[in-house]
Amino acid sequence: MVIELEQGWEIVLRGFNKLKNIVEGLPEPQFTSEDYMKLYTTVYMMCTQKPPHDYSQQLYDRYRESIEDYITSTVLPSLREKHDEFLLRELVKRWANHKVMVRWLSRFFHFLDRKFCPRRSLPPLNEVGFNCFRDLVYQEFSGEVRDAVIFLIDQEREGEQIDRALLKNVVDIFVEIGMGRMDCYDNDLEAAMLKATAVYYSHKASNWILEDSCPDYLFKVEECLKREKDRVSHYLHSRSEPKLLEKVQNELLSLHENQLLENKDSGLHVLLRDDMVDDLSRMFRLFSRLPYGLEKVADLFRQHISADGAALVKRAEDAASNKKVSVAEEEIDLLHNKYLDYVNDCFQNHTLFRQALEEAIGSVRAINQHGD
Amino acid sequence: MTEMRKEDTVKLISAEGFEFVINKEAAMVSQTIRNMLTSPGSFAEAQHGEVTFPEISTTILEKICQYFHWSLQYASGKETEFPIEPELTLELMMAANYLHT
């Protein structure tokens, strides 16, 4: 007994409509195992009948067409009438529905995946299903969705409470729609997000650099880095962490390093003078994140020690009123040890700072000799 | 036969209405049955797990149940032979194809 195409298709279509209702949340009894077997069997028979009644190709095409029709007639209109956060919620819902639908349909049409698809080297059913969503829904909405995500991130940066779970679900779509590859996430979301991050922090930096002392500014930077790291762990993909933090520290630190360190009222010289150990440690921690970030700090450290040493020598000369007197070795050793403490306590015994110390003390000893 | 809990079993019904109650794990040797039992959302009788095969005769279905159990045993190391009467071969193969076994 041969099943004709339209005859068999009518059965499949009924199953498809039932599935649609279930997924849409309409009152529809669940599938029974009898329903399942009937659908599976119908597809099975239509694929194993002898030509010209082998309808594998038609079923494969109609599978895809049915999904496309559903998306075009129901999913897209519902998305088009929503915006911002509401769009995000609707998209998450529709994607979840879509995954359920494709999973069920693949089960009914399973026999195609077993023989027809591999034999013709065609994409398997679940891939076809996801491609439909990607080509029709994702294509149209990824830009708007991306902008809505970035908007919420900036809101959270400003201290607003946002729905992190929602953002995580949206980010997951960008990851899943890549179907094993990360290019959708990278190109359609991450790139713009990084750009927006740079803009946000560039703006903050230009305000803070005018208002804040160096230690206050650095404190804020450390807070920002902490918060951005937290953000990634909650709803971004972990691969974004290094790139995101790099943008933040570039805008906040790299571009303003000199201005911060050389600040007359609160820069490195002042922090050393006033023994602000915590702030010096923070300064080291932050600038060590930048490639070549410590060079400048070590250089200023060296200059500070040299200046301190030169003042020491000058005081000795002044005290001896015009007679060239040297400062005792012990005094210079004390100077050395005073700054060695900073090297150990604040600068983690880093080579650059040990070197800076030795060079500075060397130059102090040199001007001290010439005093004889 | 050892006592089996209802939740661990599934009932397979042949064309003639003959019922075979077998272990769920055994039944899932068939990919088709496995798919049905593990589909997302729930089936109306997910609790009862009854499947009717109007295309499969009692003799063949019985042989298939034997195959399921043999298959599990083979997988766990007991490498015995599975006897197939020649007159059943064709029908058995078709059923195996259908059940994706």
Side-chain angles (χ1 to χ4, degrees):
Chain A
M1 206 209 78
V2 164
I3 304 180
E4 291 295 330
L5 177 58
E6 295 311 328
Q7 192 188 349
W9 182 250
E10 206 196 298
I11 297 172
V12 174
L13 205 52
R14 251 181 273 145
F16 188 64
N17 287 329
K18 189 180 172 73
L19 181 58
K20 268 191 262 181
N21 290 340
I22 293 175
V23 147
E24 295 270 334
L26 297 174
E28 175 79 52
Q30 292 291 341
F31 280 100
T32 63
S33 59
E34 200 187 315
D35 294 328
Y36 181 99
M37 291 313 293
K38 186 151 178 83
L39 288 163
Y40 175 81
T41 308
T42 307
V43 170
Y44 173 85
M45 307 227 33
M46 288 203 277
C47 293
T48 52
Q49 287 166 166
K50 296 252 169 290
H53 300 295
D54 175 356
Y55 298 121
S56 304
Q57 180 72 55
Q58 290 90 328
L59 285 177
Y60 187 76
D61 292 335
R62 290 184 183 203
Y63 165 82
R64 195 195 65 248
E65 284 160 11
S66 308
I67 295 180
E68 286 171 351
D69 282 341
Y70 175 68
I71 292 178
T72 321
S73 64
T74 310
V75 178
L76 289 177
S78 82
L79 287 169
R80 285 180 187 139
E81 55 186 37
K82 303 208 166 52
H83 302 282
D84 311 313
E85 197 170 331
F86 300 102
L87 174 63
L88 299 183
R89 285 189 200 287
E90 186 68 19
L91 183 69
V92 167
K93 187 181 99 177
R94 292 292 171 183
W95 174 241
N97 285 356
H98 190 82
K99 284 191 283 189
V100 167
M101 215 175 205
V102 170
R103 227 174 297 152
W104 279 90
L105 288 175
S106 313
R107 300 282 166 93
F108 298 152
F109 286 80
H110 182 63
F111 201 76
L112 283 174
D113 266 343
R114 277 184 61 199
K115 297 275 149 67
F116 180 72
C117 298
R119 235 180 244 153
R120 306 281 188 97
S121 304
L122 289 171
L125 296 177
N126 73 325
E127 199 180 313
V128 171
F130 291 144
N131 285 345
C132 291
F133 194 90
R134 191 192 54 203
D135 297 340
L136 293 174
V137 179
Y138 181 82
Q139 280 292 78
E140 186 173 325
F141 287 97
S142 67
E144 199 180 333
V145 168
R146 173 201 66 214
D147 293 341
V149 168
I150 291 176
F151 178 78
L152 286 174
I153 292 179
D154 279 347
Q155 279 210 311
E156 194 183 46
R157 285 176 175 146
E158 287 296 301
E160 306 262 344
Q161 285 271 56
I162 62 166
D163 188 342
R164 284 184 150 187
L166 174 63
L167 276 193
K168 174 120 190 58
N169 287 334
V170 176
V171 169
D172 284 348
I173 296 179
F174 281 92
V175 174
E176 286 168 44
I177 209 106
M179 282 185 275
R181 293 158 51 130
M182 290 299 286
D183 36 340
C184 291
Y185 176 83
D186 289 346
N187 301 333
D188 301 334
L189 180 62
E190 192 190 56
M193 195 236 348
L194 291 174
K195 241 199 199 147
T197 301
V199 167
Y200 179 85
Y201 283 108
S202 162
H203 188 73
K204 286 291 166 188
S206 51
N207 286 337
W208 294 345
I209 204 82
L210 297 175
E211 300 166 351
D212 295 323
S213 69
C214 171
D216 286 348
Y217 184 98
L218 293 180
F219 184 82
K220 282 185 184 167
V221 175
E222 204 163 52
E223 278 301 301
C224 289
L225 288 169
K226 233 180 263 171
R227 259 183 251 137
E228 292 299 328
K229 195 161 190 226
D230 183 67
R231 174 161 298 118
V232 174
S233 73
H234 276 98
Y235 53 79
L236 296 175
H237 194 281
S238 58
R239 75 201 260 121
S240 295
E241 186 178 300
K243 299 178 219 174
L244 188 62
L245 296 181
E246 196 265 324
K247 280 275 182 253
V248 177
Q249 66 203 28
N250 187 53
E251 292 299 328
L252 293 179
L253 289 174
S254 302
L255 298 179
H256 301 283
E257 182 168 11
N258 291 345
Q259 204 172 346
L260 284 164
L261 296 175
E262 293 170 355
N263 185 313
K264 295 250 179 296
D265 303 316
S266 60
L268 180 63
H269 291 300
V270 175
L271 298 183
L272 285 167
R273 182 196 72 197
D274 295 346
D275 191 36
M276 298 179 62
V277 170
D278 289 339
D279 296 304
L280 286 166
S281 302
R282 179 172 299 113
M283 183 183 270
F284 177 83
R285 276 199 305 275
L286 288 175
F287 283 105
S288 62
R289 302 175 65 101
L290 309 177
Y292 313 118
L294 292 174
E295 259 78 342
K296 179 79 185 183
V297 186
D299 192 48
L300 289 175
F301 184 58
R302 185 182 48 72
Q303 286 179 30
H304 182 92
I305 302 170
S306 300
D308 208 359
L312 190 64
V313 172
K314 183 156 195 311
R315 278 200 295 280
E317 288 177 354
D318 290 348
S321 46
N322 284 330
K323 283 214 316 244
K324 294 275 182 182
V325 175
S326 345
V327 172
E329 268 309 299
E330 298 81 61
E331 295 259 1
I332 299 190
D333 286 344
L334 279 175
L335 186 73
H336 177 271
N337 291 339
K338 168 177 161 187
Y339 285 103
L340 185 59
D341 283 344
Y342 286 110
V343 173
N344 289 328
D345 299 340
C346 303
F347 303 133
Q348 296 177 21
N349 200 24
H350 192 283
T351 321
L352 281 175
F353 291 83
R354 280 205 323 270
Q355 262 173 12
L357 173 61
E358 299 313 320
E359 280 171 24
I361 294 296
S363 78
V364 173
R365 290 191 212 276
I367 45 172
N368 198 32
Q369 309 297 33
H370 294 151
D372 287 340
Chain B
M1 214 162 36
T2 53
E3 199 53 44
M4 284 197 288
R5 294 199 338 247
K6 193 121 192 288
E7 310 84 76
D8 297 335
T9 64
V10 68
K11 193 189 286 183
L12 307 183
I13 308 172
S14 75
E16 291 87 14
F18 212 98
E19 302 181 347
F20 295 89
V21 177
I22 65 167
N23 188 282
K24 239 187 217 174
E25 196 194 338
M28 298 215 283
V29 171
S30 152
Q31 191 64 40
T32 306
I33 298 179
R34 175 190 290 263
N35 282 352
M36 192 198 81
L37 294 177
T38 61
S39 268
S42 54
F43 277 109
E45 335 95 310
Q47 320 307 340
H48 312 160
E50 264 187 31
V51 194
T52 312
F53 298 103
E55 314 288 328
I56 306 183
S57 73
T58 310
T59 326
I60 297 296
L61 191 54
E62 183 178 35
K63 201 75 194 179
I64 287 187
C65 290
Q66 288 171 7
Y67 175 79
F68 288 155
H69 288 111
W70 174 86
S71 177
L72 287 185
Q73 289 200 326
Y74 193 92
S76 71
K78 263 208 211 146
E79 298 194 357
T80 55
E81 288 217 8
F82 185 69
I84 303 179
E85 294 80 344
E87 61 271 18
L88 297 182
T89 314
L90 184 59
E91 269 190 82
L92 202 56
M93 269 176 52
M94 282 170 54
N97 194 28
Y98 174 74
L99 290 174
H100 193 173
T101 301

